[in-house]
Amino acid sequence: MDDDELIANLAGGDDTALRELFTRHAPWLAARLRAVLSPPEVEDVLQETFLAVWKNARTYRPQGQAGGWLWVIARRQAALLLRRRGPAAGPLVDAAEPGADPVEAALARVDIEAAASALGGPEREVWRLMYVEDRPVAEVAKLTGVPEGTVKSRANRARRLLRTALGGGTR
Amino acid sequence: MTEPDDVDLNRVWTNLAAEVWRRHPGRLERTAARLLRSPGLARALLTTPSLLVPWLVSTVVVFGAGALLRLGPGQPVVWLLAPALAAVGIAYAYGPGVDPAWELSYSMAVSERMILLTRALAVFAVNAVLGLAASAASGAVASLTFGWLLPMTAICGVTLAVAVAARSATVGAAAGVAAWVITVLANQTASGQLTATVTDTETYLPYVAAAACAAVAVAFLTRPQRGLQ
Amino acid sequence: MNVELTDLTRNFGRHPAVAGVTLTLGPGVHGLLGPNGAGKTSLLRMLATVLPPSSGQLRLLDRDPKSPAARREIRRRLGYLPQNLGYYPAFTVVEFIEYFALLKEMPSARIPKAVATAVERVDLGVKAKARLRTLSGGMLRRVGIAQAIVNDPQLLLLDEPTAGLDPEQRVAFRALLRDLGERATVIVSTHLVEDVGAACSEVALMDAGQIVFRGTPDELTVRGQDHGVGDAPLERGYSAVLAAARS
């Protein structure tokens, strides 16, 4: 049974469908959340997420995008928890710009990492070297052994793919 | 992606399942739990076989028929039916005769005796109220409207005592109904009137005595040290 | 010590079902073996406070079950699975377990989580909201085990718990027993000798109302070394001890 059918059954009150959905999706959601949350917080957020799924399954429009829908809910729960937690504990990412919301920044970084994992090998490497490690084009060309022009076009492709992935999944 | 090692997904699922599977008691059960000061007793009360909706509906129907049937002017047969109905209800409120998990119930913190008494009283009260409503609606004379309450108490007591002694709801119900039929016929033979059994004040003392003896018998039969045998 | 019995007897008319049992048990999984009519069920019923002893002393969880208040305290911490457990056909699995959790006077707030935990421990998660009348015999037995463990009992009494379970479920059940035996006193009454060998740290053998052997499964095996009857070492020990007791 695919995810859309599961969610439809879930909306009808079938708790075994929730169980199956949980088994399929909780592991990767947990892994993604673990980047910004401690283990007990991950557990809390997962619990709230799937409870929300149970209550709101009727609002899901079947488009084969169950994973994205689940992540949206989980992300919202994670943001709620992070804001409640306050600035106190936990290593959030140092905000890129002063005055930026550290919670949004942390979650955006998770989104970006998730989107980046969908990039093909060469694009991902260029992305990592140029944008994560902040190296100039010339150095990247030398490290990867390809001409600077190729590096630039791979970088463009990576940016385009990421923009699409992030634009679709995070709003 | 596989889950991180330090996240316990089983625990998450159990907490989730607890919320999804939980039963939400209705207002009646919550009120009963407060009054009885025991959620377990309230749940046991509201799952009494003879207090479930189908049974109650049947009781209302029978009482309704009783209000309409007449043996004579101003004599609807509610008085005749009420004790028998209540007796059967009491018999089927009870444990071993009717509770498949009775051996387990004996090991519970909420005692069998408490459950039995609470259920019996509730069934009696419900039948009394329904019977009175039917009597009042049917326009019976006063003696027939209330006169059956005392015999009903006696017959219910007898039924409960027999059901407990025999550990069988069916035996209890049969004994109760039989006792009532015999009582009615005996009084009719003695006085020539069918309704004598509820209108004749000379029957009151025997009824009270029968009810008292039954109460003592039930108390003795449900004493904790008897347990199962 | 969770269970202390001194010369406990139980008579039915003139027949002595339990004829003087003295036993002290702490935490762990204890097996109770014996042929039919040995008195195992009567003994278990006395431990479950559903049957009063005819004579002798009984102390459960450091309390004397004669007094109603103590009996109630014991029962809150008790889990019992009778040999024949009837079911309410219209109840669902969680409703049935919750019913007995309520009757054991568990705090209401703790019940949903305890029920969910018990259901998952006996691997009935996919049947949680199924009505009992739709379940197989083995599943019903697991429901019975679940209601016995829902209140995390300090004293757990199981009478023929594996009846109807397939071999894979029996293995899972033994793991559950070992887990429970870490903090509670678990007594498993069974005639399936191999269940005892795999899960129990200690075994008692009953015959004609008395305990005729008490020791580890290995010690029982040793007793059967020169004895012919039985396919497995533990079975041979079992019949050797019985034969000796009856001669």
Side-chain angles (χ1 to χ4, degrees):
Chain A
M1 202 181 293
D2 69 17
D3 285 340
D4 283 352
E5 283 172 331
L6 274 184
I7 297 178
N9 286 352
L10 214 155
D14 182 355
D15 61 301
T16 59
L18 180 68
R19 187 195 193 86
E20 180 58 31
L21 201 71
F22 184 87
T23 308
R24 283 186 201 177
H25 295 281
W28 68 261
L29 285 168
R32 208 184 269 195
L33 290 166
R34 187 70 185 87
V36 283
L37 298 174
S38 66
E41 289 171 335
V42 171
E43 291 176 14
D44 278 342
V45 167
L46 279 178
Q47 192 179 327
E48 292 302 321
T49 301
F50 280 91
L51 263 179
V53 165
W54 175 249
K55 289 183 189 144
N56 300 321
R58 252 175 275 272
T59 66
Y60 175 70
R61 303 266 157 271
Q63 286 160 355
Q65 294 277 29
W69 181 67
L70 288 169
W71 172 241
V72 165
I73 300 176
R75 193 185 192 279
R76 196 182 310 138
Q77 293 296 333
L80 282 170
L81 188 145
L82 284 170
R83 287 186 215 290
R84 260 201 316 271
R85 190 172 76 177
L92 286 184
V93 77
D94 8 55
E97 294 128 32
D101 177 5
V103 170
E104 262 313 302
L107 289 170
R109 193 216 204 157
V110 173
D111 289 333
I112 290 169
E113 304 237 348
S117 66
L119 290 176
E123 281 83 12
R124 193 176 333 152
E125 215 199 336
V126 164
W127 154 261
R128 189 176 55 81
L129 290 169
M130 277 189 69
Y131 295 104
V132 179
E133 294 183 20
D134 225 357
R135 296 174 197 269
V137 175
E139 201 184 327
V140 176
K142 210 187 318 176
L143 285 170
T144 56
V146 298
E148 284 190 20
T150 313
V151 171
K152 283 189 202 162
S153 67
R154 280 182 188 171
N156 282 334
R157 197 154 52 234
R159 271 204 306 276
R160 226 181 331 112
L161 287 169
L162 280 173
R163 204 173 291 134
T164 316
L166 291 170
T170 54
R171 265 183 241 285
Chain B
M1 240 192 279
T2 54
E3 77 225 46
D5 283 334
D6 47 9
V7 174
D8 186 350
L9 288 185
N10 285 329
R11 180 165 51 218
V12 177
W13 170 253
T14 305
N15 286 331
L16 192 55
E19 274 313 303
V20 169
W21 292 339
R22 79 187 295 167
R23 188 183 60 93
H24 297 272
R27 194 179 306 168
L28 190 57
E29 189 179 330
R30 291 200 305 273
T31 312
R34 267 198 303 276
L35 286 173
L36 297 167
R37 289 189 302 190
S38 167
L41 196 51
R43 177 80 171 135
L45 179 61
L46 292 181
T47 50
T48 307
S50 40
L51 288 180
L52 296 177
V53 172
W55 189 295
L56 287 178
V57 167
S58 319
T59 308
V60 168
V61 167
V62 174
F63 271 131
L68 295 172
L69 282 170
R70 268 142 228 268
L71 292 176
Q75 293 190 354
V77 295
V78 173
W79 64 269
L80 185 60
L81 295 174
L85 272 178
V88 175
I90 291 261
Y92 284 95
Y94 169 62
V98 125
D99 180 355
W102 59 275
E103 184 178 345
L104 185 57
S105 303
Y106 271 80
S107 70
M108 290 292 136
V110 176
S111 78
E112 260 302 280
R113 194 188 223 182
M114 270 311 288
I115 295 178
L116 172 65
L117 288 178
T118 311
R119 284 177 160 187
L121 283 173
V123 170
F124 183 86
V126 165
N127 277 279
V129 165
L130 287 176
L132 285 172
S135 276
S138 67
V141 302
S143 61
L144 286 183
T145 303
F146 299 101
W148 47 264
L149 280 171
L150 190 54
M152 181 163 116
T153 311
I155 293 297
C156 284
V158 166
T159 305
L160 191 58
V162 172
V164 171
R167 293 186 197 274
S168 162
T170 318
V171 171
V177 172
W180 179 234
V181 168
I182 292 170
T183 310
V184 170
L185 291 175
N187 278 304
Q188 182 193 30
T189 312
S191 68
Q193 252 200 322
L194 185 59
T195 56
T197 199
V198 296
T199 53
D200 187 350
T201 50
E202 279 174 27
T203 57
Y204 288 2
L205 195 54
Y207 287 142
V208 171
C213 290
V216 168
V218 170
F220 178 73
L221 289 167
T222 58
R223 71 193 183 284
Q225 284 302 89
R226 181 180 185 234
L228 293 175
Q229 236 146 34
Chain C
M1 281 299 147
N2 287 334
V3 175
E4 293 165 62
L5 313 176
T6 313
D7 212 21
L8 203 67
T9 67
R10 175 69 209 191
N11 301 317
F12 293 112
R14 278 203 298 206
H15 167 64
V18 177
V21 166
T22 300
L23 208 53
T24 317
L25 300 174
V29 186
H30 309 271
L32 185 60
L33 284 175
N36 289 332
K40 305 194 299 291
T41 295
S42 299
L43 181 62
L44 237 56
R45 281 178 172 165
M46 284 194 278
L47 294 175
T49 72
V50 302
L51 194 62
S54 303
S55 75
Q57 273 156 349
L58 178 55
R59 273 190 83 74
L60 300 171
L61 303 177
D62 269 327
R63 296 170 174 88
D64 181 351
K66 276 210 190 70
S67 102
R71 203 162 46 235
R72 190 176 172 195
E73 289 297 320
I74 293 169
R75 288 172 172 182
R76 285 175 171 172
R77 298 162 174 77
L78 182 69
Y80 178 42
L81 175 62
Q83 192 170 5
N84 298 309
L85 176 59
Y87 300 88
Y88 306 131
F91 271 33
T92 63
V93 169
V94 295
E95 282 173 350
F96 186 82
I97 299 169
E98 189 226 12
Y99 182 70
F100 290 102
L102 285 166
L103 290 184
K104 291 187 197 189
E105 296 186 327
M106 285 185 76
S108 300
R110 280 184 34 208
I111 290 181
K113 176 115 186 268
V115 169
T117 306
V119 168
E120 290 295 338
R121 277 180 113 175
V122 299
D123 202 24
L124 280 176
V126 294
K127 292 283 182 185
K129 302 202 85 171
R131 302 214 181 268
L132 294 177
R133 62 169 151 252
T134 65
L135 299 187
S136 69
M139 288 180 189
L140 287 173
R141 205 74 191 135
R142 285 189 277 158
V143 171
I145 296 168
Q147 67 75 27
I149 64 175
V150 70
N151 57 327
D152 205 16
Q154 289 178 276
L155 178 58
L156 180 61
L157 307 165
L158 306 167
D159 202 345
E160 303 290 352
T162 57
L165 297 187
D166 67 39
E168 191 189 333
Q169 288 160 352
R170 293 230 290 277
V171 170
F173 174 68
R174 287 176 214 149
L176 174 62
L177 279 185
R178 282 192 290 269
D179 204 33
L180 294 164
E182 271 170 34
R183 283 167 312 164
T185 299
V186 182
I187 303 177
V188 181
S189 165
T190 180
H191 61 275
L192 290 172
V193 182
E194 67 271 20
D195 273 347
V196 159
C200 301
S201 49
E202 207 194 41
V203 174
L205 214 162
M206 251 182 114
D207 189 34
Q210 293 186 313
I211 305 259
V212 298
F213 171 87
R214 178 110 186 269
T216 64
D218 285 340
E219 287 166 3
L220 184 59
T221 307
V222 163
R223 293 285 290 269
Q225 257 161 11
D226 300 314
H227 196 81
V229 180
D231 298 320
L234 211 48
E235 274 181 16
R236 284 195 283 274
Y238 173 87
S239 15
V241 169
L242 277 185
R246 288 169 180 175
S247 60

